[in-house]
Amino acid sequence: MVKQVRQISGVSCTVQLSKRILSDRIVAGTVRIHGPNFFWLKRRSQLDNARKMSRQTARIADPKKVNSELFTLTYGALVSQLVRDYESVDDVNKHLERIGYNIGIRLIEDFLARTNFPRCHDMRDAADKIQQAFKLYLGLSPGISNWSNGNEEFSLTFESTPFAEFVELPDSCSNLKYGNILPGVVRGACEMVQMEVQSWIIQDTLKGDNITELRIRFIKKLEDAIPAGED
Amino acid sequence: MTIHNLYIFDRNGILVYYGEWNRKKVPSMSKEEEGKLVYGMIISLRGVIEKVSPLDIKDNSFHYRTSKYKMNFWESPSGVKFVMNTDLNSPNVKELLRSIYTQVYVEYVVKNPLCVQGEFINSELFAQKLDEVIKASLSYTSRTV
């Protein structure tokens, strides 16, 4: 049994790693992050011979890429800290959305810098670009579906989100929208390209559904700001 | 090719950066006033260009030239506007402005949590990187008075 105390984003968690090493195999690793009102992050990893062999070759770390598990664990620590700070789960939801909004308004500039897309003409175009952004930043390929009659509303469906990989929601937080940062990011990014949208999570794998579904609705086109005194 | 100066405006028209490399004439007004003047001119000019244009193309960049200098304008889809005054023989300033946006603005301003959007950019790192890009991209000549 190996106990390590790790500081992640200012939250200290006790990480219990239990490993049974049988010859060359590391069979079961369990990671439990616990405290009041927390969720469990359970992890079972199996490394077989092949992976152990590949570890011997030099791994050049890409400075821009981050281990996805570090990302997931960091997000989990952030949400659990928010749950501890705010008494009400609704406040946490709102805060997550606002954090997402702040991320979105900056992320769009990076997206535009990387891809050189012009502004979208309509929502079909926008849906396509949002799908590409998810691929670029999170490596996910969401499906686009459920278009409304006027082509103003659509859904993005994810088989799984990287945030929710090891998470189980406890009963006290059943109203928690764990992945609520994503609708916020979409809203912030669209606002910077003059589109006001509303986005929310319809289905969530953490609450027992098969897929995670994010619904996006176009509200209106924002006009470019004109300085006072002009027409 | 000579670059005289560069203005960067955010999407609300606030001057967030002004860089000067080669300006002989002393400015007759403060930086803020000059910023507002340039921004107003840009918006009006862009409006006129769109309305009078005989073609249907909507572009995010234009330029004008006088007998002495050329003013180049480029706007990102997110509303960040770059205005650069250069001398008359300057090809491809649009590409230069786009590369300033991609390599300097996004890297050192957008990704910097201490740079508040809508305020003047005080980051020395940004100024330094911008300087590097300007000087490296083309033959930059400084003239002494």
Side-chain angles (χ1 to χ4, degrees):
Chain A
M1 289 277 262
V2 175
K3 254 194 205 173
Q4 288 170 334
V5 176
R6 257 191 230 149
Q7 209 101 10
I8 302 179
S9 308
V11 173
S12 21
C13 329
T14 311
V15 174
Q16 279 179 325
L17 292 172
S18 58
K19 295 183 195 173
R20 276 182 306 155
I21 302 180
L22 299 170
S23 63
D24 290 343
R25 282 171 168 245
I26 298 176
V27 176
T30 325
V31 173
R32 221 176 273 168
I33 298 183
H34 49 104
N37 293 336
F38 275 20
F39 354 95
W40 284 19
L41 297 184
K42 283 194 284 191
R43 172 196 166 176
R44 256 177 229 115
S45 71
Q46 273 185 322
L47 296 175
D48 60 13
N49 283 336
R51 247 168 104 177
K52 196 187 177 209
M53 299 277 238
S54 72
R55 234 192 288 160
Q56 287 157 3
T57 58
R59 235 194 299 178
I60 304 163
D62 184 352
K64 293 241 169 170
K65 291 200 175 153
V66 169
N67 186 339
S68 69
E69 279 162 9
L70 172 65
F71 176 65
T72 307
L73 290 175
T74 306
Y75 185 73
L78 171 73
V79 179
S80 53
Q81 183 69 40
L82 283 175
V83 168
R84 272 197 307 191
D85 286 343
Y86 291 98
E87 294 306 321
S88 125
V89 168
D90 282 329
D91 278 343
V92 177
N93 289 339
K94 265 188 235 152
H95 234 76
L96 279 176
E97 210 265 348
R98 216 172 56 148
I99 290 175
Y101 176 79
N102 288 332
I103 292 177
I105 56 181
R106 293 191 183 231
L107 195 68
I108 181 73
E109 309 257 10
D110 185 62
F111 179 67
L112 291 171
R114 285 188 205 213
T115 56
N116 200 13
F117 287 139
R119 278 204 192 154
C120 302
H121 304 294
D122 56 15
M123 278 314 271
R124 293 250 167 202
D125 215 0
D128 191 49
K129 304 275 162 59
I130 294 175
Q131 193 183 33
Q132 291 187 37
F134 271 104
K135 183 92 195 48
L136 181 66
Y137 287 110
L138 290 176
L140 300 174
S141 305
I144 300 181
S145 61
N146 292 349
W147 282 94
S148 71
N149 282 338
N151 275 350
E152 300 294 339
E153 211 173 299
F154 65 96
S155 286
L156 285 168
T157 50
F158 302 87
E159 293 291 323
S160 63
T161 52
F163 306 116
E165 226 167 289
F166 312 130
V167 178
E168 237 177 68
L169 286 184
D171 289 330
S172 56
C173 300
S174 55
N175 280 336
L176 179 68
K177 295 179 190 161
Y178 190 82
N180 216 25
I181 210 171
L182 287 180
V185 174
V186 172
R187 183 173 74 95
C190 289
E191 191 171 303
M192 295 301 275
V193 279
Q194 309 299 106
M195 281 194 300
E196 189 180 317
V197 302
Q198 217 177 21
S199 58
W200 64 101
I201 294 192
I202 288 192
Q203 294 189 64
D204 200 344
T205 44
L206 288 177
K207 299 197 176 150
D209 302 310
N210 292 338
I211 50 167
T212 300
E213 188 179 338
L214 180 67
R215 191 121 184 106
I216 299 176
R217 176 197 292 159
F218 175 74
I219 305 285
K220 63 175 189 230
K221 188 163 188 276
L222 302 165
E223 291 308 321
D224 291 330
I226 299 178
E230 302 281 335
D231 235 310
Chain B
M1 165 129 145
T2 315
I3 294 185
H4 298 294
N5 51 10
L6 170 69
Y7 303 79
I8 305 181
F9 298 96
D10 75 346
R11 55 203 304 268
N12 296 322
I14 301 170
L15 178 69
V16 289
Y17 192 75
Y18 172 70
E20 188 176 278
W21 290 271
N22 195 343
R23 185 175 189 165
K24 282 206 261 178
K25 181 176 152 208
V26 174
S28 52
M29 55 185 90
S30 77
K31 219 165 41 173
E32 291 78 31
E33 284 174 13
E34 196 177 57
K36 283 188 201 158
L37 180 68
V38 174
Y39 187 74
M41 187 265 294
I42 292 293
I43 294 293
S44 316
L45 195 54
R46 190 178 64 172
V48 169
I49 288 176
E50 264 173 59
K51 286 177 192 160
V52 175
S53 165
L55 306 165
D56 203 18
I57 302 171
K58 194 173 174 191
D59 209 358
N60 60 354
S61 126
F62 59 77
H63 62 261
Y64 72 71
R65 23 161 45 122
T66 72
S67 50
K68 300 284 181 190
Y69 72 93
K70 182 174 162 197
M71 189 224 74
N72 307 276
F73 167 78
W74 181 83
E75 181 185 5
S76 83
S78 57
V80 183
K81 301 172 181 61
F82 291 79
V83 176
M84 183 183 267
N85 293 319
T86 64
D87 69 347
L88 289 171
N89 331 314
S90 40
N92 292 335
V93 186
K94 183 173 158 185
E95 287 310 311
L96 172 64
L97 288 176
R98 187 165 189 272
S99 71
I100 289 178
Y101 173 72
T102 318
Q103 292 162 17
V104 187
Y105 182 81
V106 166
E107 292 293 316
Y108 298 102
V109 175
V110 173
K111 292 186 179 172
N112 181 353
L114 297 177
C115 278
V116 179
Q117 302 215 329
E119 282 182 12
F120 200 81
I121 300 171
N122 282 321
S123 158
E124 267 187 40
L125 185 60
F126 170 77
Q128 180 195 333
K129 292 288 171 183
L130 180 64
D131 220 32
E132 275 172 34
V133 170
I134 298 275
K135 287 184 181 162
S137 65
L138 27 80
S139 51
Y140 157 86
T141 49
S142 65
R143 293 180 203 146
T144 52
V145 177

